[in-house]
Amino acid sequence: MADSSSSLPPLCERISHKSYVLRAVDLMILGLLFSLLLHRIQHMSQKDNVWLVALFCESCLTFAWLIMTCIKWSPAEDKPYPKRLDERVHDLPLVDMFVPTADPVREPPIMVANTVLSLLAVNYPANKLACYVSDDGCSPLTYFSLKEASKFAKIWVPFCKKYNVKVRAPFRYFLNPLVAADDSEFSKDWEMMKREYERLSRKVEDASRDSHWLDADKDFEAFSNTKPSDHSTILKVVWENKGGVGEEKEVPHLVYISREKRPNYLHHYKSGAMNFLLRVSGLMTNAPYMLHVDCDMYANEADVFLGRGVAGIQGPLYCGSGCFHTRRVMYGVSPDDLEDDGSLTPVATREFLDEDKLATKFGSSKEMVISMVEALKRKSNPQNSLTNIIEAAQEVGHCHYEYQTSWGKTLGCLYDSVAEDMNTSSGIHLRGWTSSYISPEPPAFLGSTPSLGVEAIVQQRRWGTGAIEVLFNKQSPLIGIFRRKIRFRQRLAYLWVLMCLRSIPELLYCLLPAYCLLHNYTLYPKGPCLGITITLVVMHCLYTLWQYLSLGFSVKSWYVSQSLWRIIATCGWLFSVQDIILKLLGISKIGFVIAKKTISKTRPSKPSQGEDDESNSSDLGKFEFDSSCHFIPGTFIMLVNLAALAVFSVRLQWSSDCSSGGGGSGLAEACGCILVVLLFFPFLKGLFEKGKYGIPLPTLSKAAFLTVLFVAFSEEN
Ligand SMILES: O=c1ccn([C@@H]2O[C@H](COP(=O)(O)OP(=O)(O)O[C@H]3O[C@H](CO)[C@@H](O)[C@H](O)[C@H]3O)[C@@H](O)[C@H]2O)c(=O)[nH]1
């Protein structure tokens, strides 16, 4: 953070990247959208409901574009000066690193081990770091893999530092073959490390196949007779950095925790886990800075703790992973609570440290209160020995610990939404804090995304649902317009998370051309005014294509992304809207479905017989279907548009006038249908493919039934 009050040069500077050309293009598209709306309104009286629906859809899309234009009007970058930091700061602060995991099947323990290894090996003094893994799955296998990983870390961390390894997640590092000369010291070390990593992976794999032997090990006793949703707190110090020499001092602390869970207690999914991590780390190391990394990501850059940042109005949203926070911000402090030197103002001291209220706010643990007061006063003392504090740490893990405290309300990660990240982020921005998006090259953190198909759609559905929850709960950036310290355009940025409401206009807009073709209605303006629609479509395509190409992506990836966003809107976000309606009606609750993750296996030096890399790579990027409800809307859209095109071509054969000049539908509407078919192309392929790449019969039958209803309805009208 820049200390403007001092006469020293700043530690970072904000550089503006505004572009007048891009602003002009954004405004031109906005102008075209408004012209289209105006045309619709002017010609409304002569037309029918189709124009009304089209006006609704286009108004929504115009609103979305307007918001987007406002948000990206003045992009900026935070440029840090790490050398100035080096000169000024001789004693780097402590950093606590949090990794949450919740399910050893959907989140393979070897993947969690890789995330942890990549963090343990970052370029930062090891005695200043502590890594805490929260396991909501209460899995002995996860604990086992961490124990094994900590042994491996003793050779992995020194190896990474010795050879300045760039990517420090071993699974990722060993995907690339060795390029050095055969007899060099590096080659020998590399081969040895690879063997050791393979041994680690094998051990974890073997343990997952047969975990009976774990029962015999006393260290795993705490896991016996436990269920993920019913068990006491388990806390294990896997590795404690006690200084010493060599490998002993190279590896930071590693702590495994699994908070108590009991049926009938709310555990608040990931936000509950993050708050437990905050408390335990507060008791043990109490670092002023924290890093959150989901277990499916890894540090991709060894110097990740210094990087350049992309800034904005008040900064980007916290998106749950790969993110640094200061402890005091998570404890509810706002910029107004601080003096210029960073200490609490007298008013804030009274408010935060009122003896009578401390236990009500922070919970009943005396040790916890002491640690929080120390953190708020910036006088944290890490424990001399982590094991001394295990009892107190277990106490703060009880499932009733947060009862009637401020945890999840004003303290820590906020509850009331499955998107705890956006919720917490909104709470932080509302207090007036700014944030910055760190974007070094190569990227600081990378991770896995669910495969193209139901997993990705379900994830988007959860994000969409969580985003709407945020906007309508106590932390909503829309509430308290004058009271809160959030800037106007930052509020607009949060409005962008309402993106999932676009699903309704998008669905209607995908059906409108087909409806018009079937019913012989006009959807688009006729004559010279058709130029508005054509220019709009062409400009939007060229603009987004240029953005893709300038980021180094191909034309194909641009097309795939356009297609994917339409599929996500109509197949994922549509169900987010349904979730919210059902929640508001009190019919169902919203849960957190953990995304299924996969990890690439390191290649053996020689591919084994019959192994065919090509056959697997041909499956990459293919869309997978299942018989869940998510694929009904997409299949329905595809069938309706195909039916409309078939009707149109039959009509063409009967009439020589393809534009049916008498005011009915024609070539423009047919082009609209073709565009929709192109955007939903995976569904067209799915009609002919087999297995997981084909649309299952139940989905097809339901979509076909809806199509018949749609066509029949069109005919009746
Ligand atoms: O009860 C739970 C559920 C999840 N998690 C962990 O939370 C992380 C995120 O879960 P994941 O299934 O990977 O969801 P994503 O969609 O990848 O997560 C993003 O989106 C979520 C909002 O839906 C945010 O909570 C996350 O911070 C953000 O990274 C993972 O490490 C999980 O192990 C828990 O610890 N406890």
Side-chain angles (χ1 to χ4, degrees), residues 578-599:
Q578 176 199 293
D579 289 341
I580 289 291
I581 294 173
L582 293 181
K583 184 189 168 184
L584 290 177
L585 295 175
I587 296 173
S588 71
K589 286 188 179 158
I590 292 166
F592 192 118
V593 183
I594 296 164
K596 191 171 188 327
K597 287 104 182 170
T598 46
I599 179 167

Side-chain angles (χ1 to χ4, degrees), residues 250-269:
E250 297 269 20
V251 182
H253 300 313
L254 176 58
V255 180
Y256 168 93
I257 56 178
S258 185
R259 62 195 165 128
E260 184 185 27
K261 292 252 192 85
R262 298 291 173 208
N264 305 326
Y265 270 92
L266 285 180
H267 58 85
H268 301 291
Y269 305 105

